Amino acid sequence: MTTFALVDCNNFYVSCERLFRPDLKDKAVAVLSNNDGCIVARSQEVKDLGIKTGVPLFQVRQLLEKNHVQLFSSNYTLYGDISARVMQTLETFAPNLEIYSIDEAFLDLNGIGDLPGYAAEIRTTVYRHVGIPVSVGIAPSKTLAKLANYAAKKYPAANGVVDLSATKRQQKLLAITPVAEVWGVGHKLNEKLHTAGVTTALELSQLDRHRLRCHYPVNLERTVRELNGEACIEMEHVPAARQQIVCSRSFATRISDHASLRETICEFTASAARKLRSDRQHARRINVFIRTSPHTAPHMGQYYSNSAWGRLAYPTADTFELIALATRLFDTIYKDGYPYAKAGVMLTDLHSQDVAQLEMFHPSSATAKHDSLMHAVDTINATNSGNIWFGGQRARTDWFMQRDMVSPAYTTNWNCLPTV
DNA sequence: TCTGGGGTCCTAGGACCC
DNA sequence: TCTGGGGTCCTAGGACCC
């Protein structure tokens, strides 16, 4: 039997911001989404104000100002770097770990004797080395470990660690936990379960197998088994190859002309292609989409949203080819006279660069030539000495996302080093 | 006025095959 | 008069996750 630990950073983005602003330690702090649109991370003080995650900023602005909440635009350069440091520290406690998201990881704690003691040591070490507070949930399945972590955060008496190794403790926690808190139960499923009289995690875990099969999606059966202590979701040792790459943005200001919108499509395509190459993958399909704001009132103008798919003759990571196809697709869906609010590019049907299928009518030497050209471009762009971009792309201008309250890149840019 | 971005997986329906 | 059964693949849309 495996023993899973889920280590999750507390209010991660907020904790990252506080790291370099010790004056904010006990102050109310919130972090905003891209474009300063929504609240995506809240300190405890902000949670206590009843502000939910995901609410649009403009709806709560007054409440935030009244309570002197310190706001930050999201700074993913900083969060990504701090995340890497946390994971590095966790690795010293369990070589077998799975990084599940930017702020959480599953650890395989098989063979550890004093589990709560070990978990407490993890907490203090991460805090000492990186300065980020974490919570630890321990259980025989991932779903239970998630729940244990939820409890470790919710109940202060737990001191940030909950060990659900014992069946009795599992049952006790399940009985007092709303079913909506279970990993895999979202908004819709929660509604459906409530209608069926299932309100707690315990009731879900006791659902009749037959009823489950007939009336609910298959994944819920797995969740139920996991709640009963049966590990159905294994650790993923090597991260699975990505299946799609998306690059999209909402604009800080609306875009109403063909040329400008086309430039953003080129920008997104170039950026998606760069990610593709860093993954050592090739893409065969592209999707391009554009839309106006779905929130504008009907009398302000018609809503327009459209997308188009295109297929390449063979998988490629060549920015020239990808941009050529993307702009062709864009031209088929663009309509004049709309205030566009968002656009994006999606690459799918991805294949590993290393196992490329040779094409009968496409000389592999051409691919190799393109690959080395792209490699050269990426290498130059990775240095400070130069910046190469593609025809059609343009330097980021007024449309680029709004981030008025962004903190410095303290740990990744020499010019932003904090002074003491 | 102002509403993020990047993912995975499942399901249903249609087209197509033998 | 009478029109099967089993399968794959693709796509759109939805649900869920962080």
Side-chain angles (χ1 to χ4, degrees), chain A residues 58-74:
Chain A
F58 74 91
Q59 284 176 6
V60 290
R61 197 187 277 279
Q62 279 197 328
L63 182 59
L64 294 173
E65 274 169 15
K66 209 176 101 194
N67 290 279
H68 309 291
V69 176
Q70 174 81 42
L71 291 178
F72 286 98
S73 303
S74 38

Side-chain angles (χ1 to χ4, degrees), chain A residues 245 247 262-277 286-288 317-327 344-347 390 393:
Chain A
I245 291 172
C247 191
R262 198 176 201 268
E263 282 170 356
T264 72
I265 294 295
C266 292
E267 175 86 18
F268 298 146
T269 309
S271 153
R274 203 179 324 114
K275 278 189 218 167
L276 188 65
R277 292 191 293 271
I286 307 186
N287 180 257
V288 173
D318 182 287
T319 303
F320 291 110
E321 292 181 42
L322 293 168
I323 283 184
L325 178 54
T327 50
V345 169
M346 195 186 302
L347 302 179
F390 297 84
Q393 236 178 314

Side-chain angles (χ1 to χ4, degrees), chain A residues 294-340:
Chain A
H295 304 290
T296 4
H299 67 272
M300 299 289 290
Q302 198 93 51
Y303 175 62
Y304 177 68
S305 168
N306 207 349
S307 68
W309 283 102
R311 187 183 205 89
L312 292 138
Y314 45 88
T316 182
D318 182 287
T319 303
F320 291 110
E321 292 181 42
L322 293 168
I323 283 184
L325 178 54
T327 50
R328 225 167 39 241
L329 293 168
F330 166 72
D331 287 338
T332 67
I333 55 174
Y334 177 82
K335 279 212 263 180
D336 245 332
Y338 288 96
Y340 291 96

Side-chain angles (χ1 to χ4, degrees), chain A residues 29-77:
Chain A
V29 178
V31 178
L32 303 171
S33 65
N34 274 345
N35 232 12
D36 292 344
C38 300
I39 310 276
V40 292
R42 307 152 298 153
S43 72
Q44 190 56 49
E45 298 78 11
V46 177
K47 291 178 186 171
D48 293 342
L49 290 174
I51 291 171
K52 298 264 182 294
T53 182
V55 292
L57 174 60
F58 74 91
Q59 284 176 6
V60 290
R61 197 187 277 279
Q62 279 197 328
L63 182 59
L64 294 173
E65 274 169 15
K66 209 176 101 194
N67 290 279
H68 309 291
V69 176
Q70 174 81 42
L71 291 178
F72 286 98
S73 303
S74 38
N75 182 349
Y76 286 102
T77 312

Side-chain angles (χ1 to χ4, degrees), chain A residues 87-261:
Chain A
M87 299 306 170
Q88 224 176 349
T89 308
L90 292 180
E91 221 165 12
T92 65
F93 284 92
N96 188 4
L97 99 169
E98 175 191 337
I99 298 172
Y100 178 68
S101 75
I102 193 166
D103 76 329
E104 58 191 310
F106 287 103
L107 274 59
D108 178 350
L109 291 193
N110 257 354
I112 303 293
D114 172 22
L115 287 166
Y118 200 68
E121 203 186 319
I122 292 177
R123 290 190 73 221
T124 49
T125 308
V126 172
Y127 192 72
R128 193 167 61 234
H129 289 188
V130 195
I132 297 291
V134 300
S135 301
V136 186
I138 300 165
S141 72
K142 281 184 169 179
T143 304
L144 282 175
K146 274 280 207 183
L147 216 59
N149 194 288
Y150 156 81
K153 286 203 173 75
K154 184 173 169 90
Y155 303 107
N159 257 326
V161 177
V162 166
D163 176 11
L164 288 186
S165 299
T167 318
K168 249 193 179 155
R169 301 205 60 181
Q170 294 169 17
Q171 302 286 308
K172 235 172 116 180
L173 179 61
L174 290 177
I176 57 169
T177 304
V179 69
E181 299 298 338
V182 174
W183 193 36
V185 176
H187 172 67
K188 284 281 172 186
L189 218 40
N190 184 42
E191 270 180 13
K192 188 171 175 182
L193 287 165
H194 268 76
T195 313
V198 178
T199 58
T200 67
L202 186 66
E203 286 163 344
L204 175 60
S205 75
Q206 292 166 343
L207 253 190
D208 172 67
R209 284 282 155 85
H210 182 69
R211 223 175 114 197
L212 204 53
R213 285 232 170 150
C214 296
H215 301 292
Y216 296 95
V218 292
N219 277 343
L220 196 64
E221 185 176 344
R222 199 182 58 183
T223 300
V224 167
R225 284 167 182 265
E226 285 245 321
L227 286 178
N228 284 293
E230 184 185 338
C232 304
I233 312 170
E234 292 303 323
M235 294 280 287
E236 287 188 24
H237 308 289
V238 266
R242 230 200 291 256
Q243 303 191 30
Q244 61 176 41
I245 291 172
V246 179
C247 191
S248 72
R249 285 288 178 281
S250 295
F251 307 134
T253 54
R254 304 287 185 255
I255 296 181
S256 304
D257 69 287
H258 178 265
S260 304
L261 196 57

